[in-house]
Amino acid sequence: LLCASGDFVKVYSVNTEETLRLMSGHADLVTGIQLNPHNHMQLYSSSLDGTIKLWDFMDGILIKTFTVGSKLLALYTLATAEDSVFVVIPKRGERDTFQLVSVKLTKGAGQDLESKELSVVLDGVGASMKHIAFGREGAYVVSVKGVNLQVYFFKRKLLNRFSLSTLKTKGGDNRFSCVVCHPTEDCIATGHADGKIRLWRNFHHKKEYTYSTLHWHHDIVMDLAFSMEGTRLLSGGVESVLVQWHNESSCQKDFLPRLGSPIEYISMSSDGALCCTLHTDNRITIINSNLRFSRSIQGLIKSRDVKTGLVVDPRTKALVLNGEPGHLQFYSLQSDQQLFSLDIVQRQYIHEAGLKQSDLVKVAFSARGTWLATVEESEEVTDPELQLKLWFYHEEAQSFQLNTRINTPHDNHITDMCFRDIDELGDDSLILVTTGRDCVFKVWVMVEDTDPEAQQSVSWTCDFVGSYHNYQATNCCFSEDGSLLAVSFEETVTVWDSLTWDLKCTFCHPPGNIRKICFGRLTCSKYLIGATDYGFLCCWNLLTCALEWSAHLNIVVLQPDPVSEHIAAVSWLSKESSLFVFKPNEPRPIYIQRNICKEKILLAAFVPRDEPEMTSSEKYPWLRKSQLFFLTDTQELMTLSTKSLEERLTPSSKQLAVEESLPVTPFSLLLGKHRQQQAQEDTDLGKPVVHNKQEQASPAVKELLHTPAHVLPSASFLCTIFINSLLISKESKSVEEVADEVEMESEKAEDDSDEEDVRAMEQEDTSHVELLGEMTCKLSKSQEKELRKIRKMDYSWISAF
């Protein structure tokens, strides 16, 4: 299964849902992918960077890059067009006007080629790939836009235009939403904004055309697809139901309901055995030909509003944020898939505009991830319904289970909450703090549950309520050692002792309310950082209770790294997001990135690495232990890479270095364990470990064995290189000869060093030899060698006894 995802093209396994390939090379959004009609092992991809790339997707190798120069919004291929592809590009000099053009792909020996030869096919087309379709055997092309449909016949060079009424009578809306052509007949299927499907025939004539109507969808038809033989038509829309129409009849239809979210795209496999649907929640559903659910590939769900922020699960290092309404999604950054979804609200969400329903707004994890705190509230502005829930991670069930539910923990909206991040082994050390617009912050602790019918042994209760001059509490955070709690009340930051809950000191930097606060870590733990909504970033010294430094920046995101002293701050000014990384003890940033992305950054999170990254550049020392992720207002997840743009965009065909490690499979794990045991046994038995020269294959051999056969030169050309790489030079000595020479040299050195000792011992033992007479025997060479080793041993340790 091939899928365009951001700047990449992904190859998924239909059977295991795993990502097999991640093909990178485009510098902007990938807008279209099509199989090469003349080689189904190759794939064309188009992008907004103005290039068309030809891939071998089985090996993930880039074969060719064709530079067109203009933004490419959609891509189409035809079997009848051998050296050409069709793309949609913006029309020069006109805004929001697009045209379908044919691009002649240049032939050449190089990998990077320019394809500037364009010929216009249709003007005034839609920008979406669903607005254009090619007919049977590529005889014609169809385009829809608004209420207009146009058909262009290639051989006759004839263009027919058809229009529907623009009047919206009886709830009807004739605007076109998608188009698809029958694979074996002259038939066009179009979807419309009012949920109708029209089947057009006899469109070769401008006035004698006919169409029939199919209607089941109550809202816009998002996409259509014919089966390979054309006997079935699939349609999908906002109802989250896949409809299958038989023989173009409205009476014969099947349904696959409850697919979870609206269907955006439908695609059929080449053999007709499978179809897949792409949904608005960033999910791919794989469906069998008998309309049975098979598998699902879930990416990062785009929620309506990420109110929880970006939170990292300490156990799995997954990103945790809003998912489906009322759910919490755990998103794995390693596999780029959702691990699981946790139903927090536990109520059926009703998709109806204007209906006030409960949603998840706050999330916090304890230090080891064993406890999870969530806050849900209704959408009422004045008198919201609040619930604070505490969840405990159950090892046997491998999921979070509800422990405590607290109704109305505050009288108004909860603005922030956090756990005290210290050792959780003692129940007394685990504390949860919540702040609210009711002008108080509350401290929650665990107590023994005295209810005999309760299934758990502990529950949570309120232990302390604090306030400051009746100001609204907006933010809270604990120091690294958990001894101090900082709570912001509008323009003032208060610092409290977490043992006695005494107020220690206050900080203020008017004008403006405190927007974000955080403590420094490690060597910078004596500093407290705060950002105001009037555009100031302040650093206070907790030892002197004074302002250390301040900077005039409109900070919208303030994120400390949990494993280092670094703090990331994102500012928003003049429609530009800028990143500043600094240490609290130094007022000058160690890293600045202006205009880091086109969108506004709303959230950020540091995710600790499994192993520190050894970056070659001194520009990113703060990314060695953690990786920084951003979420924009368009809900795009981004990260900073330590590699340069050229390194990241280097095609796979230029990276011929093959990993020596086997893929992590059960068999490879067993094989590796067996090899380690065998090597250990050989070492214990004193066997020499001999490394064969052929194990270290030359680059020529690697290129021969790991490069796809269809891109290799002829065998006669490779034969000489391959044979020469296997031959051993006469000047080089075998492993056995080298080992013998080393042993002889060591023995000679030992003989020289021990010669004087042996002579002295022979003189001392002369009297004994004379007494023994004929009883003395001559030692062998090996015995003499062993004797010399014994003589050299140090026995001084025996004197201690």
Side-chain angles (χ1 to χ4, degrees):
L1 177 62
L2 305 172
C3 173
S5 176
D7 302 347
F8 306 98
V9 178
K10 295 181 180 179
V11 183
Y12 290 103
S13 170
V14 176
N15 296 324
T16 64
E17 307 171 17
E18 293 179 324
T19 305
L20 301 180
R21 298 278 185 276
L22 184 66
M23 298 186 291
S24 61
H26 284 292
D28 208 335
L29 184 70
V30 177
T31 55
I33 53 173
Q34 294 287 341
L35 289 175
N36 185 354
H38 308 290
N39 187 342
H40 289 289
M41 296 297 176
Q42 296 178 355
L43 175 79
Y44 285 107
S45 65
S46 64
S47 170
L48 293 179
D49 62 4
T51 63
I52 299 172
K53 295 183 182 291
L54 178 64
W55 306 86
D56 174 6
F57 63 85
M58 295 300 293
D59 296 292
I61 292 178
L62 177 62
I63 302 174
K64 295 281 186 182
T65 298
F66 304 95
T67 302
V68 180
S70 180
K71 287 186 177 181
L72 309 180
L73 304 174
L75 174 69
Y76 310 90
T77 58
L78 281 182
T80 55
E82 295 184 1
D83 301 328
S84 300
V85 296
F86 297 87
V87 294
V88 175
I89 62 173
K91 190 173 183 180
R92 293 183 178 180
E94 297 185 24
R95 192 175 182 180
D96 296 332
T97 304
F98 308 96
Q99 53 187 186
L100 177 68
V101 299
S102 172
V103 180
K104 185 173 180 59
L105 302 180
T106 309
K107 291 184 178 181
Q111 190 179 43
D112 298 327
L113 304 173
E114 289 193 0
S115 298
K116 303 292 186 180
E117 188 176 341
L118 309 179
S119 57
V120 179
V121 179
L122 283 175
D123 260 331
V125 300
S128 172
M129 63 174 298
K130 295 187 288 186
H131 292 168
I132 295 176
F134 287 83
R136 174 177 56 91
E137 298 178 355
Y140 53 88
V141 59
V142 185
S143 170
V144 295
K145 186 177 181 182
V147 294
N148 300 314
L149 180 146
Q150 50 183 347
V151 184
Y152 179 76
F153 299 91
F154 289 100
K155 289 185 178 180
R156 299 163 54 189
K157 295 183 178 180
L158 176 66
L159 178 62
N160 288 343
R161 289 188 174 92
F162 308 95
S163 297
L164 297 176
S165 173
T166 58
L167 298 178
K168 298 180 181 180
T169 58
K170 297 181 181 180
D173 191 346
N174 293 328
R175 288 176 300 160
F176 290 96
S177 60
C178 55
V179 61
V180 67
C181 294
H182 198 284
T184 59
E185 301 177 3
D186 289 334
C187 175
I188 301 172
T190 58
H192 297 265
D194 57 1
K196 293 180 181 178
I197 300 173
R198 287 182 170 87
L199 300 174
W200 301 71
R201 293 186 180 275
N202 203 25
F203 44 81
H204 299 81
H205 307 281
K206 287 187 176 181
K207 296 183 180 181
E208 299 176 2
Y209 69 93
T210 61
Y211 64 78
S212 58
T213 304
L214 306 175
H215 196 184
W216 179 86
H217 299 276
H218 80 277
D219 209 328
I220 183 172
V221 180
M222 302 289 285
D223 201 11
L224 296 168
F226 275 106
S227 61
M228 293 299 103
E229 65 280 1
T231 58
R232 296 175 292 126
L233 176 64
L234 299 175
S235 64
V238 297
E239 304 87 0
S240 307
V241 177
L242 183 64
V243 184
Q244 181 174 261
W245 309 83
H246 296 275
N247 301 320
E248 304 174 12
S249 171
S250 60
C251 300
Q252 301 180 14
K253 54 183 178 290
D254 298 320
F255 304 95
L256 180 60
R258 295 184 292 276
L259 290 179
S261 59
I263 300 172
E264 278 192 320
Y265 292 94
I266 304 173
S267 179
M268 296 289 299
S269 63
S270 57
D271 58 358
L274 297 172
C275 80
C276 70
T277 56
L278 177 63
H279 300 261
T280 55
D281 63 352
N282 200 23
R283 176 169 47 87
I284 298 175
T285 302
I286 302 172
I287 302 167
N288 294 326
S289 58
N290 56 0
L291 223 62
R292 294 292 181 89
F293 173 84
S294 176
R295 294 182 182 276
S296 177
I297 302 173
Q298 178 68 68
L300 184 65
I301 297 177
K302 288 188 175 182
S303 178
R304 294 182 305 167
D305 187 12
V306 184
K307 301 176 182 178
T308 60
L310 283 185
V311 186
V312 180
D313 180 10
R315 291 184 311 101
T316 61
K317 295 182 180 178
L319 278 184
V320 181
L321 64 160
N322 290 96
E324 299 176 16
H327 287 69
L328 201 60
Q329 63 170 322
F330 289 71
Y331 173 73
S332 172
L333 297 167
Q334 289 75 23
S335 62
D336 192 21
Q337 291 187 22
Q338 185 187 98
L339 293 181
F340 62 94
S341 179
L342 183 62
D343 188 359
I344 301 296
V345 176
Q346 298 178 345
R347 296 179 188 175
Q348 182 66 35
Y349 187 84
I350 302 173
H351 294 272
E352 184 177 338
L355 189 63
K356 304 296 183 182
Q357 302 180 76
S358 295
D359 200 4
L360 185 63
V361 294
K362 298 294 177 185
V363 169
F365 283 94
S366 59
R368 297 186 182 180
T370 54
W371 286 94
L372 167 66
T374 61
V375 175
E376 57 189 72
E377 63 181 34
S378 63
E379 297 176 350
E380 298 288 344
V381 178
T382 56
D383 188 18
E385 294 181 5
L386 299 176
Q387 274 195 351
L388 172 64
K389 293 181 179 179
L390 280 303
W391 308 74
F392 180 73
Y393 186 78
H394 199 274
E395 291 290 344
E396 295 181 359
Q398 290 291 299
S399 65
F400 285 96
Q401 295 181 355
L402 182 61
N403 176 271
T404 305
R405 179 189 289 109
I406 303 170
N407 293 320
T408 318
H410 285 261
D411 295 333
N412 207 331
H413 293 277
I414 294 179
T415 56
D416 199 6
M417 66 177 178
C418 64
F419 279 96
R420 184 165 67 175
D421 290 339
I422 56 177
D423 189 11
E424 298 177 16
L425 298 178
D427 293 340
D428 296 337
S429 65
L430 197 58
I431 293 175
L432 175 68
V433 174
T434 58
T435 59
R437 294 182 184 173
D438 55 354
C439 305
V440 299
F441 72 91
K442 293 186 178 182
V443 180
W444 308 86
V445 296
M446 281 193 297
V447 295
E448 292 185 3
D449 200 332
T450 57
D451 187 359
E453 299 181 357
Q455 297 181 356
Q456 63 272 359
S457 59
V458 296
S459 61
W460 291 75
T461 185
C462 183
D463 182 63
F464 178 77
V465 178
S467 63
Y468 183 78
H469 292 297
N470 204 29
Y471 293 151
Q472 286 188 357
T474 54
N475 296 278
C476 63
C477 66
F478 278 99
S479 60
E480 185 179 12
D481 60 358
S483 61
L484 297 177
L485 169 68
V487 181
S488 63
F489 291 89
E490 297 183 7
E491 294 185 356
T492 307
V493 180
T494 60
V495 181
W496 305 74
D497 188 332
S498 64
L499 294 178
T500 62
W501 301 117
D502 293 333
L503 179 62
K504 292 296 182 180
C505 61
T506 61
F507 300 107
C508 186
H509 194 280
N513 295 332
I514 302 296
R515 180 182 289 170
K516 304 285 182 182
I517 57 172
C518 70
F519 278 97
R521 302 183 69 87
L522 301 178
T523 60
C524 301
S525 58
K526 65 178 181 179
Y527 297 103
L528 177 64
I529 312 299
T532 69
D533 54 10
Y534 265 65
F536 283 97
L537 179 65
C538 308
C539 177
W540 292 284
N541 191 320
L542 296 172
L543 300 181
T544 61
C545 295
L547 181 66
E548 191 79 8
W549 54 264
S550 66
H552 191 57
L553 292 171
N554 183 29
I555 301 298
V556 293
V557 176
L558 189 66
Q559 186 63 41
D561 186 358
V563 293
S564 71
E565 302 94 342
H566 301 105
I567 297 177
V570 179
S571 68
W572 175 253
L573 184 64
S574 302
K575 296 183 179 181
E576 179 180 299
S577 291
S578 300
L579 172 65
F580 301 88
V581 180
F582 63 94
K583 290 183 179 181
N585 59 353
E586 300 176 4
R588 180 172 297 178
I590 62 173
Y591 178 81
I592 299 176
Q593 177 72 44
R594 301 281 185 183
N595 196 15
I596 192 170
C597 67
K598 300 176 183 177
E599 298 83 14
K600 182 179 180 180
I601 295 176
L602 301 179
L603 303 167
F606 276 102
V607 180
R609 301 182 189 270
D610 294 330
E611 294 182 0
E613 188 180 59
M614 304 304 295
T615 56
S616 57
S617 174
E618 297 180 356
K619 192 177 181 181
Y620 307 99
W622 55 279
L623 286 177
R624 287 188 67 249
K625 297 182 179 180
S626 300
Q627 191 172 2
L628 183 60
F629 289 86
F630 304 102
L631 192 71
T632 66
D633 54 357
T634 57
Q635 296 200 18
E636 291 185 353
L637 185 64
M638 300 181 176
T639 185
L640 281 177
S641 175
T642 56
K643 296 181 180 179
S644 64
L645 183 64
E646 182 178 359
E647 290 174 334
R648 287 189 287 113
L649 298 185
T650 299
S652 303
S653 60
K654 294 182 181 179
Q655 300 171 351
L656 295 176
V658 181
E659 295 183 1
E660 297 295 334
S661 59
L662 292 171
V664 182
T665 62
F667 178 73
S668 68
L669 293 176
L670 289 174
L671 184 61
K673 186 176 181 181
H674 172 73
R675 287 177 173 173
Q676 291 176 1
Q677 291 177 351
Q678 187 67 33
Q680 185 65 31
E681 291 175 2
D682 293 344
T683 305
D684 295 339
L685 294 174
K687 295 181 181 180
V689 181
V690 179
H691 298 279
N692 192 355
K693 179 179 182 297
Q694 302 306 325
E695 291 180 359
Q696 300 176 352
S698 65
V701 177
K702 286 185 178 181
E703 184 170 355
L704 174 64
L705 296 178
H706 296 282
T707 304
H710 61 275
V711 297
L712 282 174
S714 62
S716 59
F717 176 79
L718 294 173
C719 182
T720 305
I721 301 175
F722 180 65
I723 295 299
N724 289 336
S725 66
L726 299 178
L727 294 178
I728 301 175
S729 177
K730 290 183 179 181
E731 287 77 9
S732 61
K733 299 178 181 180
S734 65
V735 177
E736 291 79 4
E737 292 175 350
V738 174
D740 292 340
E741 288 185 5
V742 171
E743 185 177 356
M744 290 174 64
E745 290 177 1
S746 63
E747 289 180 1
K748 184 178 179 181
E750 290 177 358
D751 292 342
D752 295 339
S753 62
D754 297 340
E755 187 175 357
E756 295 180 359
D757 296 335
V758 174
R759 289 176 182 174
M761 292 182 66
E762 287 178 352
Q763 292 175 1
E764 292 175 1
D765 295 341
T766 303
S767 58
H768 299 286
V769 173
E770 291 175 352
L771 291 173
L772 292 174
E774 297 296 331
M775 294 180 64
T776 58
C777 60
K778 188 177 181 180
L779 298 176
S780 65
K781 186 176 180 180
S782 60
Q783 289 174 336
E784 288 179 353
K785 181 180 177 182
E786 191 70 18
L787 182 60
R788 285 195 299 269
K789 291 182 179 179
I790 295 174
R791 289 170 180 166
K792 291 177 114 180
M793 295 180 66
D794 184 13
Y795 295 99
S796 60
W797 56 273
I798 302 178
S799 61
F801 297 92

